[in-house]
Amino acid sequence: METKTKHILSFLLIAFFCAASAACANHRNRQNEKSGEQVINSSQKNRSEAGKLAEALRKKGISDKRVLTAIGNISRHEFIDENLRDFAYLDRPLPIEKGQTISQPFTVAYQSELLQLKPGEKVLEIGTGSGYQAAVLCEMGADVYSIERHQELHETAKETLRKQGYHPQLFFGDGYEGLPEHAPFDKILITAAPEKVPEKLKQQLKIGGWMVLPLGGRHGQKMTIVKRESETRFTESVHGDFIFVPMVEGTEK
């Protein structure tokens, strides 16, 4: 009788633990499903916000569909501080580390449109910053080289871009020097304002290529295209007024 009772108690204990394990497993599954749903919903929301931003830029005059598609595909909030993420999809510049900014989306789109990129073109970006502009260029199919003078920004942008699935070639160095060892470039994009066109960068353009840069002093710049017509001949055209942080020589670790 005692043996029989022990068997019954053992059976009941096993049944209880199995039921408890199943309940825990079901709870974990529900938690995982809920977590997965939150990730999906968050991702969908971000895509929706990026899409709205692209549509707003279209209404402001950006007509290059590839630029708009790139803007609509990129999670801009990933390139800024968490405290500012509520402002990520507004058309405004935002502060980042080292006293720099992530440019206003319209400015990013406008500069990208002026490049008239073709897939596979080799592009040098001067001023990686947050990495957002590099992501746009990658989305457009460019072979991107980007140089940043602030080591902290260089390292942060590298990690952010990697996490977002972009793999441009990033360098820590002086933008005024460019990357002569990787020249010539089809296009060069400068995301800070020099007071005059950097001569070394002009020489790193291929013949037939061009550079887009905000040219001028602290009180405002003209968005300028510098085209290389031959070994020695360059032409310039102006495309509106902008305000950028100054382009500075040297590096900061």
Side-chain angles (χ1 to χ4, degrees), residues 170-197:
L170 303 180
F171 300 83
F172 168 62
D174 184 351
Y176 274 94
E177 298 295 322
L179 296 171
E181 66 275 23
H182 296 284
F185 295 96
D186 296 293
K187 307 285 169 62
I188 296 177
L189 176 63
I190 302 182
T191 63
E195 294 191 5
K196 60 181 182 179
V197 182

PDB file of all heavy atoms in Angstrom, residues 170-197:
ATOM      1  N   LEU A 170      35.751  53.571 -44.614  1.00  0.00           N
ATOM      2  CA  LEU A 170      35.864  54.732 -43.742  1.00  0.00           C
ATOM      3  C   LEU A 170      37.304  54.956 -43.305  1.00  0.00           C
ATOM      4  O   LEU A 170      38.031  54.004 -43.012  1.00  0.00           O
ATOM      5  CB  LEU A 170      34.971  54.551 -42.510  1.00  0.00           C
ATOM      6  CG  LEU A 170      33.478  54.302 -42.778  1.00  0.00           C
ATOM      7  CD1 LEU A 170      32.726  54.152 -41.463  1.00  0.00           C
ATOM      8  CD2 LEU A 170      32.875  55.417 -43.621  1.00  0.00           C
ATOM      9  N   PHE A 171      37.683  56.233 -43.218  1.00  0.00           N
ATOM     10  CA  PHE A 171      39.050  56.597 -42.878  1.00  0.00           C
ATOM     11  C   PHE A 171      39.053  57.728 -41.851  1.00  0.00           C
ATOM     12  O   PHE A 171      38.215  58.631 -41.904  1.00  0.00           O
ATOM     13  CB  PHE A 171      39.811  57.065 -44.125  1.00  0.00           C
ATOM     14  CG  PHE A 171      39.892  56.034 -45.212  1.00  0.00           C
ATOM     15  CD1 PHE A 171      38.841  55.874 -46.110  1.00  0.00           C
ATOM     16  CD2 PHE A 171      40.998  55.209 -45.341  1.00  0.00           C
ATOM     17  CE1 PHE A 171      38.897  54.922 -47.118  1.00  0.00           C
ATOM     18  CE2 PHE A 171      41.068  54.254 -46.343  1.00  0.00           C
ATOM     19  CZ  PHE A 171      40.016  54.111 -47.229  1.00  0.00           C
ATOM     20  N   PHE A 172      39.995  57.655 -40.924  1.00  0.00           N
ATOM     21  CA  PHE A 172      40.250  58.751 -39.996  1.00  0.00           C
ATOM     22  C   PHE A 172      41.399  59.564 -40.566  1.00  0.00           C
ATOM     23  O   PHE A 172      42.489  59.035 -40.804  1.00  0.00           O
ATOM     24  CB  PHE A 172      40.610  58.208 -38.612  1.00  0.00           C
ATOM     25  CG  PHE A 172      41.163  59.248 -37.672  1.00  0.00           C
ATOM     26  CD1 PHE A 172      40.402  60.339 -37.295  1.00  0.00           C
ATOM     27  CD2 PHE A 172      42.453  59.133 -37.175  1.00  0.00           C
ATOM     28  CE1 PHE A 172      40.914  61.303 -36.437  1.00  0.00           C
ATOM     29  CE2 PHE A 172      42.968  60.082 -36.305  1.00  0.00           C
ATOM     30  CZ  PHE A 172      42.196  61.180 -35.938  1.00  0.00           C
ATOM     31  N   GLY A 173      41.158  60.848 -40.827  1.00  0.00           N
ATOM     32  CA  GLY A 173      42.218  61.657 -41.406  1.00  0.00           C
ATOM     33  C   GLY A 173      41.760  63.068 -41.709  1.00  0.00           C
ATOM     34  O   GLY A 173      40.635  63.477 -41.390  1.00  0.00           O
ATOM     35  N   ASP A 174      42.635  63.831 -42.348  1.00  0.00           N
ATOM     36  CA  ASP A 174      42.407  65.230 -42.695  1.00  0.00           C
ATOM     37  C   ASP A 174      41.691  65.308 -44.039  1.00  0.00           C
ATOM     38  O   ASP A 174      42.237  64.908 -45.067  1.00  0.00           O
ATOM     39  CB  ASP A 174      43.758  65.957 -42.748  1.00  0.00           C
ATOM     40  CG  ASP A 174      43.623  67.443 -43.008  1.00  0.00           C
ATOM     41  OD1 ASP A 174      42.515  67.912 -43.327  1.00  0.00           O
ATOM     42  OD2 ASP A 174      44.642  68.151 -42.890  1.00  0.00           O
ATOM     43  N   GLY A 175      40.478  65.862 -44.017  1.00  0.00           N
ATOM     44  CA  GLY A 175      39.705  65.960 -45.248  1.00  0.00           C
ATOM     45  C   GLY A 175      40.363  66.796 -46.321  1.00  0.00           C
ATOM     46  O   GLY A 175      40.169  66.555 -47.523  1.00  0.00           O
ATOM     47  N   TYR A 176      41.163  67.788 -45.917  1.00  0.00           N
ATOM     48  CA  TYR A 176      41.843  68.623 -46.906  1.00  0.00           C
ATOM     49  C   TYR A 176      42.854  67.820 -47.718  1.00  0.00           C
ATOM     50  O   TYR A 176      43.189  68.185 -48.850  1.00  0.00           O
ATOM     51  CB  TYR A 176      42.551  69.794 -46.222  1.00  0.00           C
ATOM     52  CG  TYR A 176      41.653  70.987 -45.995  1.00  0.00           C
ATOM     53  CD1 TYR A 176      40.992  71.159 -44.783  1.00  0.00           C
ATOM     54  CD2 TYR A 176      41.456  71.944 -46.991  1.00  0.00           C
ATOM     55  CE1 TYR A 176      40.163  72.256 -44.560  1.00  0.00           C
ATOM     56  CE2 TYR A 176      40.638  73.042 -46.785  1.00  0.00           C
ATOM     57  CZ  TYR A 176      39.984  73.193 -45.571  1.00  0.00           C
ATOM     58  OH  TYR A 176      39.159  74.279 -45.363  1.00  0.00           O
ATOM     59  N   GLU A 177      43.343  66.732 -47.134  1.00  0.00           N
ATOM     60  CA  GLU A 177      44.301  65.877 -47.841  1.00  0.00           C
ATOM     61  C   GLU A 177      43.604  64.894 -48.764  1.00  0.00           C
ATOM     62  O   GLU A 177      44.185  64.416 -49.742  1.00  0.00           O
ATOM     63  CB  GLU A 177      45.170  65.111 -46.841  1.00  0.00           C
ATOM     64  CG  GLU A 177      46.018  65.994 -45.946  1.00  0.00           C
ATOM     65  CD  GLU A 177      47.060  66.776 -46.739  1.00  0.00           C
ATOM     66  OE1 GLU A 177      47.626  66.207 -47.694  1.00  0.00           O
ATOM     67  OE2 GLU A 177      47.303  67.955 -46.396  1.00  0.00           O
ATOM     68  N   GLY A 178      42.342  64.569 -48.440  1.00  0.00           N
ATOM     69  CA  GLY A 178      41.623  63.585 -49.227  1.00  0.00           C
ATOM     70  C   GLY A 178      42.226  62.197 -49.098  1.00  0.00           C
ATOM     71  O   GLY A 178      42.863  61.876 -48.082  1.00  0.00           O
ATOM     72  N   LEU A 179      42.064  61.398 -50.136  1.00  0.00           N
ATOM     73  CA  LEU A 179      42.617  60.043 -50.162  1.00  0.00           C
ATOM     74  C   LEU A 179      43.330  59.831 -51.504  1.00  0.00           C
ATOM     75  O   LEU A 179      42.845  59.111 -52.378  1.00  0.00           O
ATOM     76  CB  LEU A 179      41.500  59.006 -49.983  1.00  0.00           C
ATOM     77  CG  LEU A 179      40.759  59.020 -48.645  1.00  0.00           C
ATOM     78  CD1 LEU A 179      39.536  58.094 -48.708  1.00  0.00           C
ATOM     79  CD2 LEU A 179      41.686  58.589 -47.509  1.00  0.00           C
ATOM     80  N   PRO A 180      44.488  60.444 -51.683  1.00  0.00           N
ATOM     81  CA  PRO A 180      45.179  60.363 -52.978  1.00  0.00           C
ATOM     82  C   PRO A 180      45.502  58.932 -53.393  1.00  0.00           C
ATOM     83  O   PRO A 180      45.545  58.632 -54.594  1.00  0.00           O
ATOM     84  CB  PRO A 180      46.452  61.189 -52.762  1.00  0.00           C
ATOM     85  CG  PRO A 180      46.634  61.250 -51.273  1.00  0.00           C
ATOM     86  CD  PRO A 180      45.256  61.249 -50.706  1.00  0.00           C
ATOM     87  N   GLU A 181      45.712  58.065 -52.398  1.00  0.00           N
ATOM     88  CA  GLU A 181      46.044  56.674 -52.727  1.00  0.00           C
ATOM     89  C   GLU A 181      44.857  55.924 -53.330  1.00  0.00           C
ATOM     90  O   GLU A 181      45.033  54.848 -53.920  1.00  0.00           O
ATOM     91  CB  GLU A 181      46.554  55.938 -51.482  1.00  0.00           C
ATOM     92  CG  GLU A 181      45.526  55.756 -50.373  1.00  0.00           C
ATOM     93  CD  GLU A 181      45.416  56.941 -49.428  1.00  0.00           C
ATOM     94  OE1 GLU A 181      45.778  58.071 -49.825  1.00  0.00           O
ATOM     95  OE2 GLU A 181      44.951  56.742 -48.292  1.00  0.00           O
ATOM     96  N   HIS A 182      43.654  56.461 -53.193  1.00  0.00           N
ATOM     97  CA  HIS A 182      42.461  55.820 -53.758  1.00  0.00           C
ATOM     98  C   HIS A 182      41.877  56.604 -54.941  1.00  0.00           C
ATOM     99  O   HIS A 182      40.876  56.188 -55.514  1.00  0.00           O
ATOM    100  CB  HIS A 182      41.392  55.654 -52.677  1.00  0.00           C
ATOM    101  CG  HIS A 182      41.795  54.738 -51.570  1.00  0.00           C
ATOM    102  ND1 HIS A 182      41.810  53.361 -51.708  1.00  0.00           N
ATOM    103  CD2 HIS A 182      42.213  54.994 -50.306  1.00  0.00           C
ATOM    104  CE1 HIS A 182      42.204  52.814 -50.569  1.00  0.00           C
ATOM    105  NE2 HIS A 182      42.462  53.775 -49.708  1.00  0.00           N
ATOM    106  N   ALA A 183      42.482  57.726 -55.280  1.00  0.00           N
ATOM    107  CA  ALA A 183      42.009  58.555 -56.390  1.00  0.00           C
ATOM    108  C   ALA A 183      42.336  57.873 -57.734  1.00  0.00           C
ATOM    109  O   ALA A 183      43.199  56.982 -57.781  1.00  0.00           O
ATOM    110  CB  ALA A 183      42.663  59.931 -56.300  1.00  0.00           C
ATOM    111  N   PRO A 184      41.653  58.255 -58.818  1.00  0.00           N
ATOM    112  CA  PRO A 184      40.694  59.349 -58.905  1.00  0.00           C
ATOM    113  C   PRO A 184      39.276  58.919 -58.525  1.00  0.00           C
ATOM    114  O   PRO A 184      38.954  57.732 -58.550  1.00  0.00           O
ATOM    115  CB  PRO A 184      40.767  59.748 -60.374  1.00  0.00           C
ATOM    116  CG  PRO A 184      41.053  58.450 -61.084  1.00  0.00           C
ATOM    117  CD  PRO A 184      41.965  57.685 -60.154  1.00  0.00           C
ATOM    118  N   PHE A 185      38.455  59.914 -58.204  1.00  0.00           N
ATOM    119  CA  PHE A 185      37.061  59.673 -57.834  1.00  0.00           C
ATOM    120  C   PHE A 185      36.129  60.252 -58.895  1.00  0.00           C
ATOM    121  O   PHE A 185      36.419  61.299 -59.487  1.00  0.00           O
ATOM    122  CB  PHE A 185      36.758  60.327 -56.483  1.00  0.00           C
ATOM    123  CG  PHE A 185      37.542  59.719 -55.346  1.00  0.00           C
ATOM    124  CD1 PHE A 185      38.735  60.302 -54.930  1.00  0.00           C
ATOM    125  CD2 PHE A 185      37.101  58.560 -54.717  1.00  0.00           C
ATOM    126  CE1 PHE A 185      39.468  59.745 -53.885  1.00  0.00           C
ATOM    127  CE2 PHE A 185      37.839  57.999 -53.680  1.00  0.00           C
ATOM    128  CZ  PHE A 185      39.012  58.588 -53.263  1.00  0.00           C
ATOM    129  N   ASP A 186      35.022  59.558 -59.109  1.00  0.00           N
ATOM    130  CA  ASP A 186      34.009  60.080 -60.039  1.00  0.00           C
ATOM    131  C   ASP A 186      33.349  61.326 -59.462  1.00  0.00           C
ATOM    132  O   ASP A 186      33.080  62.288 -60.195  1.00  0.00           O
ATOM    133  CB  ASP A 186      32.925  59.022 -60.297  1.00  0.00           C
ATOM    134  CG  ASP A 186      33.475  57.798 -60.983  1.00  0.00           C
ATOM    135  OD1 ASP A 186      33.881  57.914 -62.152  1.00  0.00           O
ATOM    136  OD2 ASP A 186      33.495  56.723 -60.357  1.00  0.00           O
ATOM    137  N   LYS A 187      33.089  61.297 -58.161  1.00  0.00           N
ATOM    138  CA  LYS A 187      32.429  62.414 -57.497  1.00  0.00           C
ATOM    139  C   LYS A 187      33.075  62.615 -56.112  1.00  0.00           C
ATOM    140  O   LYS A 187      33.550  61.666 -55.495  1.00  0.00           O
ATOM    141  CB  LYS A 187      30.928  62.139 -57.313  1.00  0.00           C
ATOM    142  CG  LYS A 187      30.196  61.759 -58.592  1.00  0.00           C
ATOM    143  CD  LYS A 187      29.945  62.924 -59.496  1.00  0.00           C
ATOM    144  CE  LYS A 187      29.457  62.552 -60.877  1.00  0.00           C
ATOM    145  NZ  LYS A 187      28.175  61.854 -60.909  1.00  0.00           N
ATOM    146  N   ILE A 188      33.064  63.863 -55.656  1.00  0.00           N
ATOM    147  CA  ILE A 188      33.492  64.194 -54.296  1.00  0.00           C
ATOM    148  C   ILE A 188      32.402  65.039 -53.652  1.00  0.00           C
ATOM    149  O   ILE A 188      31.894  65.982 -54.275  1.00  0.00           O
ATOM    150  CB  ILE A 188      34.835  64.951 -54.283  1.00  0.00           C
ATOM    151  CG1 ILE A 188      35.961  64.067 -54.842  1.00  0.00           C
ATOM    152  CG2 ILE A 188      35.183  65.408 -52.867  1.00  0.00           C
ATOM    153  CD1 ILE A 188      37.319  64.757 -54.928  1.00  0.00           C
ATOM    154  N   LEU A 189      32.051  64.709 -52.432  1.00  0.00           N
ATOM    155  CA  LEU A 189      31.035  65.443 -51.685  1.00  0.00           C
ATOM    156  C   LEU A 189      31.652  65.959 -50.390  1.00  0.00           C
ATOM    157  O   LEU A 189      32.185  65.177 -49.598  1.00  0.00           O
ATOM    158  CB  LEU A 189      29.855  64.528 -51.363  1.00  0.00           C
ATOM    159  CG  LEU A 189      28.742  65.120 -50.505  1.00  0.00           C
ATOM    160  CD1 LEU A 189      28.070  66.293 -51.206  1.00  0.00           C
ATOM    161  CD2 LEU A 189      27.700  64.052 -50.172  1.00  0.00           C
ATOM    162  N   ILE A 190      31.575  67.257 -50.172  1.00  0.00           N
ATOM    163  CA  ILE A 190      32.110  67.861 -48.950  1.00  0.00           C
ATOM    164  C   ILE A 190      30.941  68.295 -48.079  1.00  0.00           C
ATOM    165  O   ILE A 190      30.059  69.030 -48.535  1.00  0.00           O
ATOM    166  CB  ILE A 190      33.031  69.047 -49.263  1.00  0.00           C
ATOM    167  CG1 ILE A 190      34.189  68.606 -50.160  1.00  0.00           C
ATOM    168  CG2 ILE A 190      33.561  69.660 -47.976  1.00  0.00           C
ATOM    169  CD1 ILE A 190      35.183  69.705 -50.494  1.00  0.00           C
ATOM    170  N   THR A 191      30.934  67.861 -46.819  1.00  0.00           N
ATOM    171  CA  THR A 191      29.804  68.132 -45.928  1.00  0.00           C
ATOM    172  C   THR A 191      30.133  69.156 -44.850  1.00  0.00           C
ATOM    173  O   THR A 191      29.437  69.237 -43.834  1.00  0.00           O
ATOM    174  CB  THR A 191      29.308  66.820 -45.280  1.00  0.00           C
ATOM    175  OG1 THR A 191      30.357  66.281 -44.466  1.00  0.00           O
ATOM    176  CG2 THR A 191      28.910  65.808 -46.332  1.00  0.00           C
ATOM    177  N   ALA A 192      31.200  69.922 -45.045  1.00  0.00           N
ATOM    178  CA  ALA A 192      31.533  71.072 -44.213  1.00  0.00           C
ATOM    179  C   ALA A 192      32.019  72.158 -45.170  1.00  0.00           C
ATOM    180  O   ALA A 192      32.311  71.884 -46.338  1.00  0.00           O
ATOM    181  CB  ALA A 192      32.597  70.713 -43.187  1.00  0.00           C
ATOM    182  N   ALA A 193      32.099  73.400 -44.680  1.00  0.00           N
ATOM    183  CA  ALA A 193      32.314  74.515 -45.594  1.00  0.00           C
ATOM    184  C   ALA A 193      33.757  75.032 -45.596  1.00  0.00           C
ATOM    185  O   ALA A 193      34.195  75.660 -44.627  1.00  0.00           O
ATOM    186  CB  ALA A 193      31.374  75.655 -45.223  1.00  0.00           C
ATOM    187  N   PRO A 194      34.488  74.821 -46.690  1.00  0.00           N
ATOM    188  CA  PRO A 194      35.785  75.484 -46.844  1.00  0.00           C
ATOM    189  C   PRO A 194      35.582  76.888 -47.424  1.00  0.00           C
ATOM    190  O   PRO A 194      34.601  77.141 -48.126  1.00  0.00           O
ATOM    191  CB  PRO A 194      36.512  74.583 -47.840  1.00  0.00           C
ATOM    192  CG  PRO A 194      35.417  74.028 -48.691  1.00  0.00           C
ATOM    193  CD  PRO A 194      34.207  73.902 -47.799  1.00  0.00           C
ATOM    194  N   GLU A 195      36.512  77.789 -47.143  1.00  0.00           N
ATOM    195  CA  GLU A 195      36.394  79.143 -47.684  1.00  0.00           C
ATOM    196  C   GLU A 195      36.821  79.210 -49.143  1.00  0.00           C
ATOM    197  O   GLU A 195      36.429  80.125 -49.878  1.00  0.00           O
ATOM    198  CB  GLU A 195      37.195  80.126 -46.828  1.00  0.00           C
ATOM    199  CG  GLU A 195      36.614  80.277 -45.425  1.00  0.00           C
ATOM    200  CD  GLU A 195      37.216  81.430 -44.659  1.00  0.00           C
ATOM    201  OE1 GLU A 195      38.037  82.190 -45.248  1.00  0.00           O
ATOM    202  OE2 GLU A 195      36.877  81.601 -43.476  1.00  0.00           O
ATOM    203  N   LYS A 196      37.643  78.246 -49.555  1.00  0.00           N
ATOM    204  CA  LYS A 196      37.985  78.135 -50.967  1.00  0.00           C
ATOM    205  C   LYS A 196      38.077  76.655 -51.313  1.00  0.00           C
ATOM    206  O   LYS A 196      38.240  75.802 -50.434  1.00  0.00           O
ATOM    207  CB  LYS A 196      39.284  78.865 -51.289  1.00  0.00           C
ATOM    208  CG  LYS A 196      40.496  78.356 -50.543  1.00  0.00           C
ATOM    209  CD  LYS A 196      41.728  79.179 -50.931  1.00  0.00           C
ATOM    210  CE  LYS A 196      42.977  78.647 -50.217  1.00  0.00           C
ATOM    211  NZ  LYS A 196      44.189  79.418 -50.599  1.00  0.00           N
ATOM    212  N   VAL A 197      37.973  76.351 -52.586  1.00  0.00           N
ATOM    213  CA  VAL A 197      37.973  74.949 -53.015  1.00  0.00           C
ATOM    214  C   VAL A 197      39.330  74.317 -52.708  1.00  0.00           C
ATOM    215  O   VAL A 197      40.371  74.825 -53.165  1.00  0.00           O
ATOM    216  CB  VAL A 197      37.679  74.835 -54.523  1.00  0.00           C
ATOM    217  CG1 VAL A 197      37.644  73.362 -54.938  1.00  0.00           C
ATOM    218  CG2 VAL A 197      36.365  75.516 -54.876  1.00  0.00           C
TER     219      VAL A 197
END
